[in-house]
Amino acid sequence: MDSILVTGGGELSGQIPIAGAKNACLTLMPATLLSDEPLTLTNAPRLSDIKTMTELLQSLGAEVTSLQDGKVLAMSSHTISNHTADYDIVRKMRASILVLGPMLARDGHAVVSLPGGCAIGARPVDLHLKALEALGAELELKDGYVHAKAPGGLKGGIVDFPLVSVGATENVLMAATLAKGTTVINNAAREPEIVDLADCLRKMGAQIDGDGTSTITVQGVDRLHGATHPVVTDRIELGTYMLAPAICGGEVELLGGRLDLVAAFCEKLDAAGISVEETDKGLKVARRNGRITAVDVVTEPFPGFPTDLQAQMMALLCTANGTSVLEEKIFENRFMHAPELIRMGAQIEVHGGTATVTGVDQLKGAPVMATDLRASVSLILAGLAAEGETVVSRVYHLDRGYEHVVGKLSAVGAKIERIKGQ
Ligand code: EPZ
């Protein structure tokens, strides 16, 4: 297994290009199953999760061709030749559950493995299933698989989510586009990736209103046609790299960065003493003065502070002046980066969903282990500011969500390299 060596110290300066959003691409790709005409995505990120989704769609009979070094995904599913999403693919990536709604809507039946949990939590899919049942789906759980049927097709219905779920909103939104009649989704997720999906579905002929708000209304149509759609900028990659000059000092311009995608995150950066300036190319970020000021963070569904930036923010706050309290309210086990940061000299106390971080003057480089996608990059950020060398192992987690991390950070002056595993 590869690892990444980071040598701390030194300010950063220059530009980092931000890629298309992993979490938008992972829901846009299954949308190809809704139509027998080609769907082409541009600005796609080059990530292992995208390869996994490609594998899954191809196993269902869709054609997926990666062009321009992976930045363009040309897809088409004239027919779905296999309606079963196997456990061996689904267990690698829980977003695989997003093929359920489209297959059900297109052909009236689907068999999808339950995804199983992951490091950050049990991550059930009960809300996906209940939402599809509200559209008339008949579901049976057998041998770890969901057997779904919609004899006579899905019918429009009222979906009331008891809690906000990004994936469940995406699944039922895609299914509703081909359901007979009107669907209303209440307490829908408002993430930019939902709006991006709705934009793409509208290009395919879907009739959707209210995306980006808590209530989405869909008028079902008989069929959807092909389209070409650019994947929205990755707000989590954007926020992650905004923290690099924040933690090291210096000034970095994030190309393609959009303030509206990271508004709540920028409020916290401003309170911590980081300046964010809009430029004609994106966002320029610099540390206003010497030391970061401690701030409290509570993760919430969009437009609140994103859970996917909590680990990275914690790395910044490890060297802040004062004590910060971080509350993780989306996932039950998303502080696994804390013990690794403590190995680097951070002072963090975790009690349930709350982590209290008391800033220290200087972190010390150390060998640390990545435990999940966002924890891995949090350790790299800490390594950039630490004294000495940090070796982050198990970087396959990183490859799921960040393309060319070493190249992007080296380009702005970071001392970072990838070490090939035995
Ligand atoms: C999406 O996951 C993202 N993944 C996650 O990003 C992100 O952290 C999460 O949304 C929250 O923003 C993709 O888009 C591929 P949820 P998702 O359904 O859809 C519970 C990353 O690092 N829940 O909004 O799985 C769930 O356990 C990843 O890029 C149910 O109880 O998240 C969680 O506590 C990590 N039942 C909460 O809801 C369900 O049926 C929010 O989960 C579904 C979810």
Side-chain angles (χ1 to χ4, degrees):
M1 277 184 266
D2 292 2
S3 51
I4 285 192
L5 167 64
V6 185
T7 306
E11 297 197 339
L12 304 180
S13 71
Q15 298 178 321
I16 297 180
I18 302 301
K22 164 179 88 77
N23 290 349
C25 202
L26 289 175
T27 189
L28 290 165
M29 291 176 75
T32 189
L33 298 170
L34 290 166
S35 168
D36 57 1
E37 294 184 16
L39 173 62
T40 299
L41 299 178
T42 58
N43 194 38
R46 281 70 61 92
L47 303 167
S48 59
D49 270 8
I50 305 306
K51 291 197 178 77
T52 304
M53 183 58 84
T54 297
E55 239 179 81
L56 173 57
L57 291 173
Q58 289 171 336
S59 78
L60 303 176
E63 285 163 33
V64 183
T65 310
S66 172
L67 305 167
Q68 291 179 31
D69 185 25
K71 285 206 81 160
V72 172
L73 295 170
M75 304 179 290
S76 66
S77 51
H78 306 295
T79 54
I80 299 173
S81 52
N82 164 32
H83 290 79
T84 299
D86 277 340
Y87 177 59
D88 61 345
I89 297 185
V90 174
R91 70 181 166 78
K92 279 195 281 188
M93 184 184 64
R94 55 176 280 106
S96 307
I97 191 76
L98 294 174
V99 301
L100 176 57
M103 280 204 282
L104 203 44
R106 168 88 180 269
D107 286 347
H109 61 99
V111 179
V112 177
S113 165
L114 287 170
C118 78
I120 63 176
R123 302 185 72 185
V125 290
D126 57 314
L127 299 179
H128 296 243
L129 305 184
K130 285 199 192 86
L132 293 170
E133 284 178 325
L135 269 54
E138 294 165 13
L139 307 178
E140 192 195 346
L141 297 192
K142 215 166 64 186
D143 313 327
Y145 282 76
V146 179
H147 295 254
K149 286 195 189 66
L154 294 173
K155 293 171 192 60
I158 306 291
V159 178
D160 290 316
F161 281 123
L163 62 102
V164 171
S165 163
V166 172
T169 301
E170 291 163 345
N171 229 335
V172 75
L173 173 58
M174 289 189 280
T177 58
L178 294 177
K180 291 182 187 60
T182 304
T183 295
V184 177
I185 306 170
N186 295 316
N187 202 18
R190 299 171 53 189
E191 273 67 5
E193 293 75 36
I194 305 279
V195 175
D196 199 39
L197 174 62
D199 285 342
C200 178
L201 293 168
R202 274 188 284 263
K203 284 179 189 169
M204 297 170 74
Q207 292 178 22
I208 301 167
D209 291 299
D211 44 291
T213 76
S214 299
T215 303
I216 301 177
T217 304
V218 185
Q219 302 294 346
V221 295
D222 292 339
R223 63 185 298 279
L224 294 180
H225 49 73
T228 296
H229 180 77
V231 178
V232 69
T233 302
D234 192 325
R235 62 194 169 95
I236 306 303
E237 186 194 29
L238 170 61
T240 300
Y241 286 125
M242 290 171 77
L243 286 168
I247 210 164
C248 294
E251 181 177 85
V252 173
E253 184 175 29
L254 294 312
L255 305 180
R258 281 173 34 193
L259 211 49
D260 64 312
L261 295 175
V262 284
F265 176 68
C266 287
E267 275 171 33
K268 289 299 174 184
L269 290 187
D270 179 52
I274 306 298
S275 77
V276 178
E277 178 201 335
E278 286 185 282
T279 69
D280 57 355
K281 295 200 192 84
L283 298 177
K284 196 174 272 188
V285 178
R287 199 156 66 182
R288 270 199 290 271
N289 44 40
R291 191 126 179 238
I292 298 294
T293 307
V295 294
D296 294 342
V297 170
V298 181
T299 64
E300 295 172 308
F302 195 88
F305 189 101
T307 173
D308 293 348
L309 285 172
Q310 176 260 110
Q312 301 90 312
M313 190 71 179
M314 186 184 285
L316 175 74
L317 297 173
C318 285
T319 57
N321 187 8
T323 297
S324 309
V325 177
L326 292 95
E327 271 190 86
E328 173 52 63
K329 303 191 60 113
I330 306 292
F331 291 109
E332 62 267 34
N333 183 31
R334 204 170 195 178
F335 286 138
M336 287 172 295
H337 41 287
E340 302 301 312
L341 290 167
I342 290 167
R343 286 176 50 75
M344 298 175 71
Q347 285 184 15
I348 307 169
E349 279 186 40
V350 174
H351 297 289
T354 301
T356 303
V357 181
T358 304
V360 296
D361 291 343
Q362 177 72 54
L363 292 175
K364 302 270 184 299
V368 289
M369 188 178 76
T371 49
D372 59 84
L373 167 56
R374 306 303 174 182
S376 56
V377 78
S378 151
L379 300 173
I380 288 177
L381 288 171
L384 291 176
E387 189 181 282
E389 293 189 344
T390 298
V391 179
V392 182
S393 61
R394 300 193 177 185
V395 290
Y396 55 85
H397 289 292
L398 199 65
D399 297 334
R400 295 191 53 179
Y402 291 91
E403 59 173 53
H404 313 319
V405 173
V406 171
K408 290 190 176 187
L409 285 172
S410 308
V412 293
K415 297 184 216 51
I416 179 171
E417 59 185 288
R418 188 169 184 127
I419 301 168
K420 281 275 161 243
Q422 282 74 23

